[in-house]
């Protein structure tokens, strides 16, 4: 089969119903790239012999070396079925968890997916993840059960056993789909119910009608499941290049057996058998102990082929089989020493995998023009904004999506899911192309002139006199030739050399994109919409019918740019295109200035930005990087910026400490990023720190047992309190701590006193807060707007979510201690949305609640206003929660309750000596009321800003605000921060460690070693189960991130490569040991010795962080100094 010509592909790009945009998804190593090889080989791009070995789409060197895919890459293929021709835009994706963000970028551009499952390993964690991703993006999957050869060669199953095994695998896959479907139906039902409830006025009677018909029973889900008789399953062995669907076998046997192929297609899979006498297909193979049709007609044949070719190497039998199948095998293949070569040669003719897979793809997966309206709405509704709330013009664009039209009038809509860097040399415009006749002639002329010129100069050098004497004519003619040649040279250089040189300096990015509507052309002007672009706002500002060609006022998150290059993505190669019609995957060049990672591109300003990609992995591994030579810092900075753009998941930031930090999803990802930095983006030597492990700081309830598990008696508690009193000394001046942990602190100018107490939040609350940060941010924004006198539109759905969040919080915060707590939440922190809470327990101080967005429809509560400096308290809290006292890591799960806040008025302060002190907060409040009604509070900026806030207030406070301790608001922030820190320290403090979950598959022999490695690294096994139908065990465990580096490697080494774990960030966990613990009881001394530093893991972690941050670390460095001295004296 020849190489498909570019023209043909371009022609096919216009036939939208015959386009399929698909990706290959699977768990790591299940054979995606190998399968892609087979498909690529069917187009003659690589040879069939190399298919499966070359892994053509793994174009990076490290991908080839490690044998795993690290990025998604696309290739356009051509497929002919009968008389229709198809264009298949295929994207191969990585299966390793570290690169799951690459999967998201691939899935977004597709309409369908090939989910590959290893026939031995079955459904693995990433299989579930990719099925979920496909589900969330609303794309339709088909299934390829790969590596069937392993059932024959490795597991040595009989055909009957293999059949049972395959049934189990299908069940597993369908169970995952079923779970996704159920949750969706239930969710939809909940939404419907909510809508009904919301719509029906409450007076309509208390009776609730429960409509069961909206439930699961009614919804038809049969089309969702994978079943060979539905035609959405292929069984394959990509490495041996064969694969089949039931359809193919039905075709083969319908003639042989004289049974209609439709009947065979329904019965080849399932509990059917052949009654040879009656020549009928009957049901109930299992109960009657008969061979199912699938075993008899399909698996038996394959098994006997493997038996003849691989196991017994029976040449005669092979020849017979080949003849009976009507295949042609070359003598060279027949004689080859490796039986696999022969096997491939036979199978690739008999059951070519590309044929099976591609025909399934074309039949079962939708074309771009069949996009469902549900999917369109989901793509267009950003975050909390619902489709119905979009401007009308924007809603009209839905039609363009559905039509997927390539007419001139159709608006261009393109989504860019990632930017990838390409070597400038491999860009088609820089590639060497064969010279045209004209150019050859030009070059010949050029060479001739240069030759003549050289001769002329050598001549004139030989006899300068004659040249001088020769008169002016020769000289001028020589000059002429000279200038001519120079001009020509310059021209030629301009054509070739120069651009190449310049290009080398610049990294080239190509946008990985898909056209959803319209035709993109080279040189076209388009709008680039950032993720936060708001079409409603832009439509109001922009003139009617404007385009990206016009000079327009600047609008947030909107830029105009020109489409410079369009490419057809062909794996390692790119082909230049002039235009790309709707429904195709493509590459766009020249957008690097405008797009960071992903964006929406359109010719219509009404187009909304697409929903952000949902990434499954959280970047967690951070390292600080620096150049080997400090002078190369600018190169590093530039390199990091490029890396940030080129990787969908990597984050690059400069920490407060000034370090350049790289955050990645895992160890393998980290390695790849560093390699990219070194070799591609910065091109300098860099050194990376050890991974920076994040911790959180928290407080807990006083423990009931001591370190040796003895009950902490009453006496000891007293001792602890004593200790606390002693520790009073370590607090700074003006701080009072009572035995219950209440901290009272006065500002340096003695104007304000605050009382703060730290309380641990229940675990569920912390988790809830962590999961709801988006909502909290919305609430925060609402309050901010409210303070500025504006209102923020929040959709009904979001409001419901907030209400739900609030009631959940109320549910968790029960008991006397938490009475009214939810209502009196003052703020969340750090960064105003974190998992810590500031409570307002100040008697008599009422402030607008954080829940005010929920109360908007209700009668406005009588105007409650902010007290002066309310924001300073919040800022102080934000600072305190951002970095805790243990090792300056963020806090988590801590509630700070402000129990008193007393302020003296400035006037009183001025006369403080003469009059008695008057410190009631009510007076302060009244004064504020007046002030705030006159000038709306503007002190809503960040900590730094609040010191200048409220000009009126400064004037009024006059002398007080400019006392010798600096602005008062600043003092209050500092005091609040200090008070929080002291309150925190007054409680038992703990570190929290980030935890990974991992799932390890291992055989029984290596199980012991797996446990060994886990326990050495403080891992905890959650459960262990046997995988059905195999001798594998699945172990689920959690492991601290701090102990995870090198874990995968060690595991592989210790188990000789049999177990390879994948780590995914899961949660934060409190480390139970107290970093400040010193032995106090006799038992503890006995147990741990005087210093007790061997057992204290938390202390080790804490000190390591402190050291890294350059903080003071209390450590005894010289040990047993006397002994050493005595030793040396004795010498
Ligand atoms: N026995 C057998 N091995 C296979 C088959 N297909 C692939 N393999 C092997 O499985 C390994 C992984 O194959 P890849 O194609 O790189 O797997 P992948 O799914 O692309 O892996 P990632 O991209 O890293 O997730 C390779 O060693 C292949 O040779 C198959 O059908 N049978
Ligand atoms: Mg791969």
């Amino acid at each position: 089969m020849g190489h498909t010509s570019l023209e043909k592909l371009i022609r096919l790009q216009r036939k939208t119903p015959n386009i399929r945009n698909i990706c290959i998804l699977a768990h790591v190593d299940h054979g995606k790239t190998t399968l892609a090889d087979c498909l690529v080989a069917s187009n003659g791009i690589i040879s069939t012999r190399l298919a499966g070995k070359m892994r053509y789409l793994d174009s990076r060197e490290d991908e080839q070396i490690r044998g795993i895919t690290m990025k998604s890459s696309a290739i356009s293929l051509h497929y002919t079925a009968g008389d229709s021709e198809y264009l298949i835009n295929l994207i191969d994706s990585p299966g390793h968890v570290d690169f799951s963000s690459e999967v998201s970028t691939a899935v977004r551009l597709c309409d369908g997916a090939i989910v590959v499952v290893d026939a031995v390993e079955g459904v693995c964690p990433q299989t579930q993840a990719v099925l979920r991703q496909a589900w969330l993006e609303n794309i339709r999957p088909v299934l390829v059960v790969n590596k069937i050869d392993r059932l024959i060669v490795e597991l040595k199953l009989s055909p009957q056993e293999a059949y049972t095994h395959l049934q189990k695998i299908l069940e597993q896959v369908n169970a995952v789909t079923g779970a996704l479907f159920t949750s969706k139906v239930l969710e939809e039902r909940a939404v419907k119910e909510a809508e009904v409830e919301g719509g029906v006025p409450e007076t309509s009677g208390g009776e609730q009608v429960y409509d069961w018909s909206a439930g699961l029973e009614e919804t038809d889900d049969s089309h969702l499941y994978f079943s060979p008789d539905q035609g959405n399953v292929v069984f394959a062995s990509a490495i041996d290049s064969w694969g089949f669907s039931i359809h193919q076998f039905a075709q083969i046997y319908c003639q042989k057996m004289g049974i209609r192929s439709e009947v065979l297609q329904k019965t080849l899979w399932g509990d059917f058998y052949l009654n040879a006498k009656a020549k009928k297909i009957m049901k109930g193979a299992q109960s009657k102990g008969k061979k199912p049709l699938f075993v008899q007609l399909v698996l038996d044949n394959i098994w006997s082929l493997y038996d003849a070719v691989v196991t017994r190497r029976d040449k005669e039998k092979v020849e017979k089989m080949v003849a009976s199948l009507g295949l042609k095998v070359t003598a060279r293949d027949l004689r080859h020493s490796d039986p696999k070569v022969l096997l491939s040669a036979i199978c690739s003719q008999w059951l070519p995998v590309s044929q099976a897979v591609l025909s399934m793809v074309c039949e079962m997966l939708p074309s771009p023009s069949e996009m469902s309206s549900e999917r369109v709405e989901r793509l267009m509704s950003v975050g909390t904004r619902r489709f119905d709330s979009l401007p009308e013009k924007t809603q009209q664009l839905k039609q363009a999506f559905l039509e997927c039209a390539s007419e001139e009038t159709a608006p261009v809509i393109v989504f860019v899911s990632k930017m990838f860097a390409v070597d400038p040399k491999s860009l088609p415009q820089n590639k060497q192309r064969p010279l045209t006749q004209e150019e050859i002639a030009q070059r010949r002329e050029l060479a001739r002139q240069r030759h003549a010129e050289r001769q002329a100069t050598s001549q004139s050098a030989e006899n300068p006199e004659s040249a001088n004497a020769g008169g002016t004519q020769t000289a001028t003619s020589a000059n002429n030739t000279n200038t001519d040649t120079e001009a020509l040279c310059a021209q030629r250089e301009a054509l070739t050399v120069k651009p190449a040189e310049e290009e080398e300096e610049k990294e080239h990015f190509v946008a990985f994109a898909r056209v959803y509507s319209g035709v993109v052309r080279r040189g076209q002007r388009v709008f680039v919409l950032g993720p936060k672009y708001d079409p409603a706002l832009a439509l109001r500002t922009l003139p009617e019918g404007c385009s990206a060609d016009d000079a327009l006022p600047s609008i947030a998150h909107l830029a105009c740019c020109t489409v410079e290059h369009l490419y057809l993505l062909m794996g390692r190669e790119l082909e230049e295109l002039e235009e790309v019609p709707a429904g195709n995957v493509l590459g766009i060049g020249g957008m690097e200035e405008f797009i960071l990672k992903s964006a929406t591109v359109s010719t219509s300003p009404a187009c909304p930005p697409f929903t952000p990609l949902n990434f499954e992995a959280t970047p967690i591994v951070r390292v600080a990087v620096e150049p080997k030579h400090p002078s190369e810092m600018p190169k590093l900075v530039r390199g990091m910026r490029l890396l940030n753009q080129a990787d969908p998941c990597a984050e690059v930031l400069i920490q407060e400490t000034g370090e350049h930090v790289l955050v990645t999803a895992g160890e393998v990802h980290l390695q790849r990023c560093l390699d990219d930095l070194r070799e591609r983006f910065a091109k300098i030597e860099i050194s990376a720190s050890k991974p920076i492990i994040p911790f959180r700081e928290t407080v807990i309830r006083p423990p009931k047992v001591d370190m040796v598990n003895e009950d902490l008696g009453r006496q000891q508690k007293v001792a602890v309190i004593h200790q606390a009193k002693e520790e009073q000394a370590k607090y700074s001046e003006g701080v009072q701590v009572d035995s219950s942990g209440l901290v009272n602190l006065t500002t340096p100018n003695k104007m304000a006193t605050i009382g703060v107490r730290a309380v641990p939040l229940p675990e569920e609350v912390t988790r809830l807060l962590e999961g709801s940060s988006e909502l909290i941010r919305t609430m925060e924004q609402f309050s901010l707007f409210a303070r500025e006198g504006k209102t923020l539109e929040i959709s009904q759905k979001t409001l419901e979510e907030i209400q739900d969040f609030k009631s959940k919080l109320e549910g968790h915060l029960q008991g006397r201690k938490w009475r009214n707590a939810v209502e009196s939440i003052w703020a969340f922190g750090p960064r105003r949305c974190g998992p810590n809470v500031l409570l307002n327990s100040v008697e008599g101080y009422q402030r607008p609640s954080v829940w005010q967005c929920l109360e908007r429809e209700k009668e406005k509560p009588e105007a409650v206003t902010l007290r002066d400096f309310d924001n300073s308290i919040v800022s102080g809290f934000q600072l305190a929660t951002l970095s805790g006292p243990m090792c300056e890591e963020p806090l988590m799960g801590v509630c700070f309750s402000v129990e008193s806040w007393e302020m003296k008025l400035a006037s009183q302060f001025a006369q403080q000596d003469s009059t008695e002190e008057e410190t009631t907060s009510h007076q302060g409040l009244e004064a504020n009321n007046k002030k705030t009604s006159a000038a709306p509070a503007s002190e809503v900026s960040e900590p730094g800003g609040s010191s200048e806030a409220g000009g009126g207030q400064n004037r009024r406070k006059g002398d007080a605000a400019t006392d010798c301790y600096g602005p008062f608001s600043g003092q209050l922030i500092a005091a609040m921060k200090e008070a929080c820190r002291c309150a925190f320290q007054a409680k038992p403090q703990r570190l929290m460690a980030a935890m990974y979950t991992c799932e390890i598959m291992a055989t029984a022999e290596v199980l012991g070693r797996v446990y060994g490695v886990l326990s050495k690294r403080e891992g905890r096994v959650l459960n262990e189960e046997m995988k059905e139908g195999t001798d594998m065990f699945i172990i689920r465990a959690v492991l601290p991130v701090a102990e995870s580096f090198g874990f995968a490697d060690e595991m592989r080494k210790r188990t000789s490569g049999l177990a390879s774990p994948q780590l995914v960030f899961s949660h934060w966990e409190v480390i139970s040991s107290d970093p400040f613990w010193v032995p106090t009881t006799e038992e503890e001394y006995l147990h741990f010795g005087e210093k007790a530093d061997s057992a204290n893991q938390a202390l080790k972690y804490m000190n390591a962080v402190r050291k890294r941050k350059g903080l003071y670390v209390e450590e005894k460095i010289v040990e047993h100094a006397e002994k050493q001295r005595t030793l040396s004296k004795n010498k």
Side-chain angles (χ1 to χ4, degrees):
M1 225 180 287
H3 203 317
T4 316
S5 69
L6 184 60
E7 287 77 47
K8 193 170 194 176
L9 293 179
I10 292 177
R11 189 162 44 76
L12 283 173
Q13 283 194 331
R14 290 232 158 233
K15 285 168 83 180
T16 323
N18 286 13
I19 299 176
R20 300 287 181 273
N21 294 317
I22 54 163
C23 51
I24 311 187
L25 307 175
H27 186 75
V28 65
D29 261 3
H30 281 194
K32 296 174 288 299
T33 314
T34 312
L35 180 65
D37 255 14
C38 298
L39 306 186
V40 171
S42 77
N43 267 234
I45 296 168
I46 60 172
S47 98
T48 346
R49 278 175 197 280
L50 281 180
K53 297 175 193 77
M54 186 166 182
R55 290 191 289 120
Y56 179 73
L57 291 178
D58 283 355
S59 49
R60 295 171 56 103
E61 198 182 332
D62 47 359
E63 287 179 323
Q64 288 286 346
I65 294 171
R66 274 179 177 259
I68 61 171
T69 308
M70 301 190 179
K71 50 149 193 16
S72 38
S73 49
I75 189 159
S76 296
L77 300 176
H78 159 257
Y79 173 69
T80 318
D83 38 356
S84 4
E85 288 187 299
Y86 290 93
L87 171 68
I88 292 165
N89 294 317
L90 178 79
I91 308 180
D92 180 31
S93 71
H96 195 285
V97 260
D98 278 15
F99 305 108
S100 62
S101 53
E102 289 278 345
V103 178
S104 316
T105 63
V107 170
R108 171 54 65 84
L109 304 187
C110 294
D111 303 305
I114 303 176
V115 176
V116 180
V117 176
D118 184 325
V120 173
E121 295 190 354
V123 171
C124 291
Q126 278 313 101
T127 319
Q128 296 184 2
V130 296
L131 279 170
R132 190 168 57 241
Q133 249 171 340
W135 181 268
L136 287 178
E137 287 281 348
N138 249 330
I139 71 173
R140 203 181 299 163
V142 288
L143 185 69
V144 172
V145 182
N146 191 28
K147 304 202 188 182
I148 306 270
D149 61 304
R150 290 183 68 189
L151 300 181
I152 312 174
V153 181
E154 270 177 46
L155 298 192
K156 302 208 163 46
L157 300 184
S158 70
Q160 177 69 43
E161 286 165 342
Y163 173 62
T164 326
H165 183 84
L166 291 174
Q167 272 183 320
K168 288 229 177 76
I169 288 186
L170 279 179
E171 271 166 30
Q172 288 172 4
V173 181
N174 284 333
V176 179
T177 321
L180 290 168
F181 177 71
T182 322
S183 67
K184 183 188 161 208
V185 171
L186 293 181
E187 198 176 284
E188 270 175 6
R189 195 168 71 185
V191 170
K192 254 190 215 152
E193 270 167 25
E195 271 167 12
V196 171
E197 267 172 35
V200 176
E202 287 193 11
T203 46
S204 74
E207 227 173 304
Q208 264 223 340
V209 187
Y210 209 75
D211 184 12
W212 279 105
S213 67
L216 279 171
E217 303 74 21
E218 280 286 302
T219 327
D220 179 28
D221 55 352
S222 61
H223 64 281
L224 286 171
Y225 294 113
F226 298 105
S227 172
D229 52 326
Q230 297 258 353
N232 55 8
V233 181
V234 160
F235 300 96
S237 164
I239 200 114
D240 294 336
S241 349
W242 60 263
F244 63 87
S245 63
I246 292 223
H247 186 71
Q248 270 163 302
F249 272 94
Q251 294 286 326
I252 295 177
Y253 282 106
C254 71
Q255 289 160 357
K256 266 195 194 168
M257 298 174 36
I259 301 175
R260 278 191 304 136
S261 90
E262 295 84 57
V263 176
L264 275 173
Q265 200 160 336
K266 287 268 168 298
T267 52
L268 257 177
W269 179 262
D271 196 23
F272 299 96
Y273 71 96
L274 187 71
N275 187 331
K277 271 189 219 150
K279 287 219 160 196
K280 265 191 178 161
I281 292 173
M282 322 274 271
K283 209 172 160 58
Q286 204 178 8
S287 58
K288 298 201 180 106
K290 305 273 185 188
K291 250 188 201 178
L293 269 189
F294 189 70
V295 177
Q296 190 182 355
L297 299 185
V298 181
L299 294 186
D300 274 353
N301 287 320
I302 295 171
W303 255 247
S304 60
L305 181 68
Y306 268 79
D307 182 58
V309 179
V310 183
T311 323
R312 283 198 278 135
R313 303 201 181 188
D314 186 342
K315 220 169 158 192
E316 274 174 32
K317 193 167 177 209
V318 172
E319 273 170 17
K320 245 205 261 143
M321 288 177 104
V322 169
S324 76
L325 289 171
L327 309 174
K328 283 197 195 78
V329 178
T330 59
R332 194 175 125 216
D333 283 337
L334 269 175
R335 271 184 277 114
H336 205 287
S337 58
D338 185 1
K340 284 273 186 176
V341 174
L342 177 58
L343 189 71
S344 267
I346 298 175
C347 292
S348 60
Q349 288 181 59
W350 180 34
L351 300 168
V353 61
S354 57
Q355 167 75 26
V357 172
L358 293 181
S359 75
M360 168 168 74
V361 161
C362 295
E363 254 168 56
M364 304 304 298
L365 297 180
S367 81
S369 49
E370 295 167 54
M371 204 183 312
S372 71
S373 87
E374 185 191 354
R375 180 162 176 223
V376 175
E377 288 189 14
R378 214 187 283 184
L379 283 178
M380 290 172 79
S381 349
V382 177
T384 48
R385 206 180 318 136
R386 288 241 305 220
F387 181 75
D388 337 333
S389 67
L390 290 169
E392 203 171 313
K393 265 198 165 166
T394 307
Q395 291 197 28
Q396 281 164 8
L397 284 178
K398 180 176 165 188
Q399 206 48 40
F401 274 93
L402 292 176
E403 280 167 11
C404 191
S406 309
E407 278 113 43
E408 294 305 309
T409 46
V412 173
I413 303 173
V414 173
F415 182 73
V416 175
S417 74
K418 70 166 181 176
M419 301 292 284
F420 64 97
V422 287
D423 193 351
K425 282 195 212 93
S426 67
L427 286 175
Q429 62 263 36
N430 297 340
K431 234 184 278 174
Q432 293 220 322
R433 61 191 159 84
L435 296 174
T436 59
Q437 277 302 327
E438 215 171 287
E439 279 170 323
I440 294 175
Q442 204 179 16
R443 288 205 175 182
R444 200 181 303 128
E445 175 69 8
L446 212 67
R448 199 184 52 75
Q449 282 176 352
R450 211 181 298 139
H451 181 72
E453 178 201 348
R454 220 177 291 138
Q455 272 195 334
T457 42
S458 62
Q459 261 178 16
S460 59
E462 271 168 29
N463 43 359
E465 302 92 30
S466 71
N468 276 343
T472 40
Q473 211 175 353
T474 27
T476 36
S477 77
N479 262 351
N480 266 349
T481 5
N482 253 344
T483 40
D484 271 1
T485 354
E486 268 167 28
L488 266 175
C489 277
Q491 196 185 337
R492 194 182 55 128
E493 273 174 18
L495 272 173
T496 55
V497 189
K498 265 211 188 126
E501 264 174 20
E502 273 169 21
E503 303 289 273
E504 228 158 29
E505 281 301 298
K506 216 172 125 202
E507 194 59 50
H508 267 270
F509 280 97
V510 172
F512 195 56
R514 163 168 174 182
V515 191
Y516 285 85
S517 158
V519 184
V520 214
R521 293 205 165 75
R522 264 178 71 177
Q524 194 171 32
R525 292 283 293 168
V526 286
F527 292 113
V528 178
L529 320 171
K532 286 191 192 152
Y533 171 72
D534 180 7
L537 183 79
L539 286 175
R540 256 179 272 138
T541 347
L542 290 176
E544 184 85 13
C546 65
S547 79
D549 291 318
D550 310 334
L552 297 171
S554 85
I555 289 186
H557 313 293
L558 178 83
C560 298
C561 86
T562 310
V563 176
E564 280 179 21
H565 294 284
L566 293 170
Y567 304 110
L568 180 71
L569 304 169
M570 291 298 285
R572 304 174 182 197
E573 315 261 321
L574 298 172
E575 300 282 355
E576 179 109 51
L577 295 176
E578 280 302 315
E579 56 175 42
V580 180
N584 283 290
V585 172
L586 79 165
I588 310 178
M591 295 234 158
E592 54 263 52
E593 305 285 320
F594 303 94
I595 302 177
L596 181 62
K597 292 182 188 219
S598 67
T600 312
V601 174
S602 177
T603 49
S604 160
C607 182
F610 280 42
T611 346
L613 298 168
N614 45 53
F615 290 141
E616 300 254 323
T618 342
I620 184 101
V621 178
R622 15 176 93 211
V623 289
V625 284
E626 55 181 23
K628 274 262 160 63
H629 308 289
S631 62
E632 290 178 326
M633 199 61 184
K635 279 194 185 161
L636 178 73
V637 173
R638 183 175 158 272
M640 303 232 337
R641 208 189 57 230
L642 292 175
L643 175 70
N644 188 28
Q645 188 166 22
D647 192 301
C649 176
E651 281 173 23
V652 162
L653 47 108
I654 300 178
Q655 273 195 331
E656 299 93 78
T657 46
E659 292 165 303
H660 289 263
V661 173
L662 178 65
V663 196
T664 60
E667 249 187 312
V668 186
H669 186 210
L670 171 68
Q671 207 51 49
R672 204 214 64 202
C673 287
L674 290 178
D675 284 350
D676 271 355
L677 258 187
R678 273 190 203 112
E679 277 148 33
R680 172 147 218 183
F681 298 131
K683 295 203 181 76
I684 52 168
E685 298 242 327
I686 52 171
S687 53
S689 70
K690 278 207 197 129
I692 302 172
I693 297 133
F695 285 98
R696 294 288 181 265
E697 303 183 11
T698 192
V699 289
I700 56 162
R701 291 163 158 211
K704 296 212 169 56
V705 289
D706 67 3
M707 284 292 276
V708 279
N709 269 346
E710 300 260 335
D711 252 358
L712 274 175
R714 233 171 136 241
Q715 276 191 326
Q716 261 158 340
K717 269 190 197 152
V718 175
V720 169
I721 291 164
H722 268 298
Q723 207 180 341
K725 283 210 173 129
E726 274 165 33
E727 279 176 3
Q728 180 93 50
K730 81 177 180 211
Y731 296 124
S732 53
E733 215 188 322
V735 183
Q736 287 165 4
V737 186
D738 75 3
S739 57
S740 69
L742 178 69
V743 171
N744 274 302
L745 197 145
T746 311
T747 53
N749 64 2
K750 307 265 185 309
M751 265 188 43
T753 306
I754 21 188
V756 180
R757 185 196 301 281
V759 191
L761 282 172
E763 208 177 300
E764 311 84 62
V765 176
T766 316
R767 223 174 299 134
L768 183 64
L769 290 178
E770 231 193 340
S772 318
S773 58
E774 267 308 313
L775 282 183
I776 299 177
R777 211 169 286 148
T778 315
M779 281 155 54
E780 173 66 30
Q781 243 174 0
F782 184 89
S783 310
L784 191 93
F785 271 54
R787 267 173 277 171
E788 287 171 2
K790 294 188 268 183
T791 45
L792 178 74
E793 278 305 309
I794 302 183
S795 76
Q796 193 56 35
K797 191 161 170 228
T798 318
L799 282 180
E800 276 161 26
E801 279 171 28
I802 293 178
Q803 183 61 52
D804 184 45
F805 166 56
K806 185 180 174 189
S807 35
K808 273 194 199 147
L809 266 186
E810 274 162 355
H812 291 314
L813 292 176
Q814 293 288 341
R816 198 169 49 85
K817 196 168 63 170
W818 296 111
R819 194 182 310 143
N820 246 345
V822 176
E823 277 303 330
S824 51
I825 290 177
W826 193 333
F828 301 92
R831 302 203 168 89
R832 296 180 182 262
C833 59
N836 302 286
V837 173
L838 180 67
L839 275 194
N840 169 21
S841 319
V842 183
E843 227 172 284
Y845 177 34
Q846 289 204 328
R847 65 184 302 283
S849 107
V850 286
W851 308 106
Q852 71 197 103
C853 52
L854 293 178
E855 291 150 12
R856 136 178 98 132
E857 271 115 47
K858 294 175 200 160
E859 214 28 46
K860 273 224 157 174
E862 80 277 17
V864 275
T865 31
L866 289 179
R867 205 200 270 200
D868 256 356
F869 302 113
D870 178 283
N871 197 53
S872 298
I873 300 287
V874 177
S875 300
F877 161 75
Q878 300 295 347
L879 287 179
T881 47
L882 191 61
S883 58
M886 297 166 82
C887 50
E888 307 294 333
E889 289 285 286
L891 303 192
M892 185 166 192
V894 187
C895 166
F896 289 105
S897 158
V898 181
E899 310 217 327
S900 62
W901 176 18
E902 303 187 344
M903 300 259 279
K904 281 176 223 158
L905 290 179
S907 52
Q908 290 160 352
F909 180 73
Q911 315 154 357
Q912 191 183 2
D913 295 332
S914 52
T915 52
E916 60 171 307
E917 283 188 19
E918 212 176 339
T919 55
T920 44
S921 41
H922 290 285
Q923 291 192 358
L925 199 64
E926 278 160 24
N928 293 328
N929 282 349
K930 276 177 219 139
K931 183 228 132 197
T932 28
S933 54
S938 56
E939 63 231 83
V940 278
S941 47
E942 282 309 299
S946 52
S947 54
E948 304 99 47
Q953 152 199 325
N954 270 353
R955 236 173 295 124
R956 190 167 58 80
K957 295 259 166 209
D959 41 6
T962 53
D963 62 22
C964 63
Y965 302 104
F968 178 63
S969 56
Q971 287 182 40
L972 197 59
I973 292 173
M976 179 62 192
K977 180 183 171 195
E978 195 52 36
C980 287
R981 281 175 87 107
C982 295
F984 183 90
Q985 283 171 317
K987 294 278 158 144
Q989 311 165 51
R990 291 292 183 274
L991 273 187
M992 291 177 93
M995 302 297 276
Y996 276 134
T997 49
C998 68
E999 207 161 289
I1000 307 164
M1001 235 192 283
T1003 51
E1005 303 95 70
V1006 295
L1007 210 56
R1009 300 211 193 114
V1010 170
Y1011 276 87
V1013 179
L1014 269 175
S1015 67
K1016 189 176 128 200
R1017 291 174 176 263
E1018 317 227 342
R1020 203 171 63 233
V1021 174
L1022 299 179
N1023 64 15
E1024 172 200 299
E1025 60 188 51
M1026 185 113 182
K1027 188 140 194 155
E1028 263 180 80
T1030 63
D1031 56 348
M1032 296 281 217
F1033 284 88
I1034 306 173
I1035 301 140
R1036 277 188 201 89
V1038 288
L1039 178 83
V1041 175
E1043 304 292 335
S1044 70
F1045 297 97
F1047 172 72
D1049 268 348
E1050 184 176 348
M1051 189 61 97
R1052 263 194 292 270
K1053 269 185 211 135
R1054 299 268 296 148
T1055 60
S1056 341
L1058 287 174
S1060 57
Q1062 296 216 45
L1063 302 169
V1064 192
F1065 173 71
S1066 101
H1067 65 285
W1068 294 92
E1069 203 168 283
V1070 176
I1071 304 175
S1072 60
S1073 53
D1074 177 3
F1076 297 108
W1077 171 80
V1078 280
T1080 43
T1081 63
E1082 211 155 293
E1083 282 89 350
E1084 286 179 342
Y1085 269 118
L1086 272 176
H1087 225 89
F1088 301 105
E1090 187 189 344
K1091 277 183 38 210
D1093 52 0
S1094 58
N1096 203 335
Q1097 194 66 30
L1099 179 70
K1100 271 186 215 157
Y1101 288 149
M1102 186 177 89
N1103 281 347
V1105 178
R1106 291 190 72 96
K1107 235 182 236 164
R1108 194 189 78 224
K1109 295 188 174 174
L1111 301 169
Y1112 173 67
V1113 179
E1114 203 171 301
E1115 257 181 340
K1116 287 181 198 146
I1117 295 169
V1118 181
E1119 284 180 28
H1120 312 303
E1122 287 114 24
K1123 264 193 192 154
Q1124 280 170 6
R1125 201 185 55 214
T1126 19
L1127 275 178
S1128 61
K1129 260 187 186 171
N1130 286 350
K1131 252 183 201 166

